[in-house]
Amino acid sequence: MNQLSKETIDEIRQLADVYKNANERMMEVLLKMQRLTNNCFDRETLGIVSDAMGIPESKLYDYITFYSRFSTEGRGKYIIRMCKSAPCHVCGAREVAQSICDYLEVEPGDTTDDGLFTVEFCECIGLCESSPSVMINDEIYSNLTPNKIKGILDCYQKGVRV
Ligand code: FES
């Protein structure tokens, strides 16, 4: 469960003002809020966001549970998203996915014990031309190999900018 600090709640309110002035930016605003809330809109967080944005909690819940980029359950600091669709598989995505899971010692859907990474498989993420690709939060890494992705994950673990 999130225990949001006063500073985080203030940041959520500032982001809510962006939405109030431009409703079409709802997705962008919620993604930024999610970064502030341990990548999770739990019950408490939903209530705070609902109040700040002026959106009924039930409507917000429907929106968040519709899109795979949002979660109502605790996840890691970094969300690794990898396409599991056939076009990517034939380009080597399966080997890259296996490399990620082996390196982090997790199964798809799991979060590492240190809370740093959650590995998620999803449908097409629009990066077919440069497959195998993954998204780590909002960053895109393309033309991956099993070794290349291990190097990238190592940098994240060390806090080094890739
Ligand atoms: S089919 Fe995999 S990114 Fe599009």
Side-chain angles (χ1 to χ4, degrees):
M1 184 167 171
N2 285 328
Q3 296 263 307
L4 302 183
S5 66
K6 183 184 176 313
E7 290 75 25
T8 299
I9 293 171
D10 286 345
E11 285 184 75
I12 286 173
R13 290 191 177 125
Q14 286 170 18
L15 284 167
D17 287 341
V18 172
Y19 163 75
K20 285 175 183 170
N21 292 319
N23 289 3
E24 70 279 6
R25 296 177 68 183
M26 184 168 177
M27 171 70 77
E28 171 199 340
V29 164
L30 287 172
L31 284 169
K32 286 182 178 172
M33 286 180 178
Q34 189 172 236
R35 296 276 171 270
L36 300 171
T37 60
N38 302 320
N39 280 319
C40 166
F41 285 107
D42 65 5
R43 191 78 194 252
E44 176 199 352
T45 304
L46 271 176
I48 291 167
V49 171
S50 165
D51 281 349
M53 294 179 82
I55 299 173
E57 206 170 315
S58 59
K59 188 175 170 192
L60 195 58
Y61 181 84
D62 285 347
Y63 187 91
I64 281 169
T65 53
F66 181 79
Y67 293 104
S68 66
R69 293 186 74 182
F70 297 113
S71 178
T72 56
E73 293 177 10
R75 295 187 296 173
K77 180 178 179 184
Y78 299 112
I79 311 298
I80 302 171
R81 303 182 77 237
M82 182 148 197
C83 171
K84 65 176 183 182
S85 301
C88 286
H89 261 226
V90 298
C91 294
R94 187 171 55 179
E95 290 76 14
V96 171
Q98 193 60 55
S99 179
I100 292 170
C101 291
D102 290 348
Y103 184 78
L104 297 177
E105 300 180 338
V106 293
E107 297 293 324
D110 286 351
T111 298
T112 53
D113 289 342
D114 61 5
L116 204 54
F117 299 101
T118 296
V119 179
E120 294 183 348
F121 287 172
C122 55
E123 302 303 326
C124 180
I125 50 177
L127 301 169
C128 329
E129 292 164 11
S130 53
S131 180
S133 301
V134 300
M135 290 183 72
I136 303 180
N137 288 350
D138 294 328
E139 298 294 325
I140 292 168
Y141 301 94
S142 295
N143 301 309
L144 293 169
T145 64
N147 276 338
K148 197 169 167 186
I149 189 63
K150 282 186 210 166
I152 291 167
L153 296 175
D154 185 54
C155 288
Y156 272 85
Q157 286 174 322
K158 291 175 178 161
V160 176
R161 184 103 183 126
V162 183

